Amino acid sequence: MTKKEKELISIPITVNVPYRFAAGKYMTKFLMELKNNGKILAIKCPKCGRVQLPPRVVCAQCHVKNDEWVELSHEGTLVAFTIMYLPLTDPTTGKPHKPPFVYGSVRLDGATSVLDHLVNIEPTMDKVWVGMRCKVVLRPQKDRIGDLSDIRCLEPLPGQKKPRG
Amino acid sequence: MSDRVAIVGIAQSKFSARRPEVNYAEMGYEVIEQVLNNTGLEMQKDIDNSISCSHDIWDGQTISDIGITDVIGGHLRNEEKVAMDGTNMVLYGAIGILSGEFECSLLMAHTKMSQTNRNIVNNDAFDPIYTRILGFDYTSAAALQAKRYMYKYGITQEQCAKVVSKNLANARLNPSAHNMGEYSVGDVLSSPVVASPIHELEIAPDTDGAVAMILASEKKAKEITDNPVWILGFSNCYDAHYLGDRDLADYMSLQKAAQKAYNMAGIKNPRREIDVVELCDAFSYQELLWSEGLGLCGQGEGGRLLDSGATALKGKIPVNPSGGLLSGVPENVAGLNRAAEAYLQVKGEAGEHQVGNVRIAVAQGHSGFCGQHHCVLVLGKE
Ligand SMILES: [Zn+2]
């Protein structure tokens, strides 16, 4: 005979640790420019020249301090995507994203690295593809709050069709 | 294979109660940039191993070294994290070099205590079924240890308070410290009781900051500097997790760690041979208790040792000339800061808090509540 479940004790505890994370010097500038001027700023390595998002203090490859800012286009190319069927939680609201939804990685024109975000598109395989041109959709200026949600989503540029094959 | 390992450079934050303007990578890079500049070493050319020290729950990120791999040189190279007190990263780094695997290792410890709540973070160190549910934290556990220690050996509140007076006065001479001042025993004992017998001023304050250090093999060290500081001995030791499994007035794990480190360094008589000690006074009474564990005096004699003046800045065996943790050093960083301060004393570069000519310095760190795990380092000139 197996043991009855009620004989086993397990204690429910929610590990709830409050944090206040400093954005730091580089991300503060990024978020301020996004909020106040609707600009997407990346950081350029003075040595290898790669243009990175998110902006950060050091180029890991060259181990030199980054100090050159580059404004990126709001348009770019989708380099990877996934259609999600898990209701993943948005940690800033505690509420789940409603599946199915699309996460995409877009290389904005002028950037070496990508911007990952939700893609506002019908979540079916024939509506989204690698190589699709996308644009960034921002919150209206008056509603911006200075975190990454000021970028609401990515959206496909109009007039495109999925290539055959 | 290297026979010996040396410390060839250090850099420390100006510790602060809050650093809201930097994230932890930027805070870490400040000391990394400084230690590389000081030693003239280059990340790609010279550093072949990087070790960080912090704690996931303090950092609020799983495997939190992912937040600092860029700045510590971990990109497409090796980097590992020590999630215990920073003294252990010196031990770990030294072993890597002694093994022959590495020549020159960069160590960096960082923690921003201001970004969360110490009581909640430390509550997560307790067994979820047995003690966590009571709300226990390091301060409440320390209060039990302080009470037990005072009861068993007749240590007085005044003696504990005197540790604070001494260390916060020393801190005035330490440019890295942020908590300092002239406090009488009466001042300390009139600060609010947080968990009897512990008063507010007897608790190391919340602090943000980072410390970096570079370790090198004997061959590499001699290329870098004419007067490296040698790691002559090291050891660490664990004791039981449950508070009820040990007498909190004792310090078996510290005694064992110290004995092994002293043996390795050839120290036979610690009272005579050690010139200065930097230890983790997370709470005032711990300086007295750890002094005993380190063999600076006999069991139960920590209070008398302090009263004799021996541990004062100009005493026979100064303890915490930097001001210790009471002067404001982050958790996790504490032990690397002890080692860095011991290094400065051996070098004769501690500035106004230099204790005189130091041949042998000892650094101690502990992890877990009530000093469950201890690590002891012996540094010296030759
Ligand atoms: Zn680069």
Side-chain angles (χ1 to χ4, degrees), chain B residues 216-234:
Chain B
S217 68
E218 180 155 14
K219 181 169 160 280
K220 180 89 180 172
K222 285 177 172 166
E223 290 165 18
I224 299 166
T225 169
D226 291 333
N227 49 348
V229 170
W230 301 102
I231 301 172
L232 303 176
F234 54 75

Side-chain angles (χ1 to χ4, degrees), chain A residues 18-20 25 56 61 63, chain B residues 26 44 57 71 115-116:
Chain A
Y19 293 98
R20 188 156 192 96
K25 289 171 180 156
R56 68 202 77 172
Q61 212 161 278
H63 208 261
Chain B
E26 291 165 358
Q44 261 95 351
I57 301 184
V71 300
Q115 71 174 12
T116 179

Side-chain angles (χ1 to χ4, degrees), chain B residues 77-138:
Chain B
R77 295 146 53 97
N78 47 299
E79 188 276 338
E80 287 168 272
K81 182 175 110 178
V82 170
M84 296 182 93
D85 174 72
T87 38
N88 294 283
M89 67 195 305
V90 179
L91 180 152
Y92 186 59
I95 288 171
I97 291 172
L98 289 171
S99 77
E101 182 74 8
F102 305 114
E103 283 279 328
C104 193
S105 300
L106 170 65
L107 278 46
M108 192 273 288
H110 62 89
T111 288
K112 291 186 79 178
M113 295 177 76
S114 72
Q115 71 174 12
T116 179
N117 175 311
R118 69 154 77 194
N119 311 91
I120 294 172
V121 168
N122 288 335
N123 178 243
D124 291 337
F126 288 81
D127 178 329
I129 308 297
Y130 192 57
T131 29
R132 193 186 301 185
I133 207 162
L134 303 172
F136 260 83
D137 74 339
Y138 283 18

Side-chain angles (χ1 to χ4, degrees), chain A residues 73-94:
Chain A
S73 163
H74 284 207
E75 296 181 7
T77 303
L78 198 64
V79 299
F81 70 90
T82 177
I83 300 173
M84 290 295 302
Y85 293 91
L86 281 174
L88 291 186
T89 304
D90 174 349
T92 61
T93 61

Side-chain angles (χ1 to χ4, degrees), chain B residues 130-245:
Chain B
Y130 192 57
T131 29
R132 193 186 301 185
I133 207 162
L134 303 172
F136 260 83
D137 74 339
Y138 283 18
T139 304
S140 40
L144 297 177
Q145 185 168 44
K147 187 73 204 167
R148 178 72 195 153
Y149 177 46
M150 291 162 77
Y151 169 80
K152 191 167 177 187
Y153 295 114
I155 301 291
T156 65
Q157 291 222 321
E158 286 71 22
Q159 287 170 325
C160 296
K162 211 166 162 182
V163 171
V164 182
S165 302
K166 170 179 78 69
N167 289 1
L168 295 192
N170 290 351
R172 290 179 304 177
L173 308 172
N174 177 3
S176 299
H178 76 90
N179 190 40
M180 63 194 78
E182 213 169 301
Y183 293 95
S184 67
V185 165
D187 293 337
V188 176
L189 295 180
S190 357
S191 70
V193 178
V194 177
S196 76
I198 298 176
H199 299 76
E200 199 172 82
L201 280 169
E202 297 180 279
I203 305 173
D206 281 4
T207 302
D208 292 358
V211 173
M213 176 179 281
I214 294 177
L215 306 185
S217 68
E218 180 155 14
K219 181 169 160 280
K220 180 89 180 172
K222 285 177 172 166
E223 290 165 18
I224 299 166
T225 169
D226 291 333
N227 49 348
V229 170
W230 301 102
I231 301 172
L232 303 176
F234 54 75
S235 188
N236 60 13
C237 184
Y238 244 131
D239 204 336
H241 170 79
Y242 293 106
L243 295 171
D245 289 350

Side-chain angles (χ1 to χ4, degrees), chain A residues 45 47-48 50 59 61-62:
Chain A
C45 170
K47 203 169 167 193
C48 70
R50 63 181 175 151
C59 171
Q61 212 161 278
C62 309

